[in-house]
Amino acid sequence: MHDDPRFVTLRRRLRAFVFPVSIAFFSWYLLYVLMSAFARDVMSTVVFGNVNVALVFGLLQFVTTFGVAILYSRYANRRLDPLANELRAELVNETGTASPPQEETPPSAEGPDDTTRAGKEGPGQ
């Protein structure tokens, strides 16, 4: 499956979103940290009332985080999920199962666990 052109396309599409957005978000965060450390006069500029530029930048970090999550969700729904679902369906059809087979544990020769029966006390009691 790793050599399938559709899988290669899927990985390329994922990286095409994740790397640029990660670099942009990290740069934005680094700008906030560096300005807080070295541009205190700019960051202490009052915007209105008791709200300064540093507080606005800090709140925008949260807005940016949620924005990236929403953008990724939309991107994945449109560009990644259809192809991933197609590949998953093909894998399921080839193997006949969606997950690796589970080994069955043989039934216990001792019978059910006595500690789970109503009215019985646990071991040693």
Side-chain angles (χ1 to χ4, degrees), residues 108-123 125:
S108 174
E110 300 170 359
D113 185 11
D114 287 339
T115 60
T116 60
R117 286 192 212 159
K120 284 281 198 168
E121 293 181 11
Q125 294 183 359

Side-chain angles (χ1 to χ4, degrees), residues 1 81 83-93 98:
M1 182 55 68
D81 292 347
L83 187 53
N85 290 337
E86 177 184 328
L87 290 170
R88 183 182 306 113
E90 185 176 312
L91 278 174
V92 169
N93 288 338

Side-chain angles (χ1 to χ4, degrees), residues 30-110:
L30 190 60
L31 173 68
Y32 172 62
V33 171
L34 291 174
M35 287 188 67
S36 294
F38 300 110
R40 291 181 180 255
D41 292 339
V42 173
M43 295 299 269
S44 64
T45 302
V46 175
V47 178
F48 62 88
N50 290 331
V51 177
N52 60 15
V53 172
L55 182 61
V56 172
F57 268 43
L59 292 174
L60 285 174
Q61 291 293 318
F62 289 101
V63 172
T64 306
T65 300
F66 288 110
V68 167
I70 291 168
L71 284 174
Y72 176 76
S73 177
R74 289 181 180 173
Y75 180 81
N77 286 337
R78 189 179 70 251
R79 302 276 293 158
L80 302 176
D81 292 347
L83 187 53
N85 290 337
E86 177 184 328
L87 290 170
R88 183 182 306 113
E90 185 176 312
L91 278 174
V92 169
N93 288 338
E94 285 180 8
T95 62
T97 180
S99 60
Q102 300 287 327
E103 287 187 30
E104 288 188 36
T105 54
S108 174
E110 300 170 359

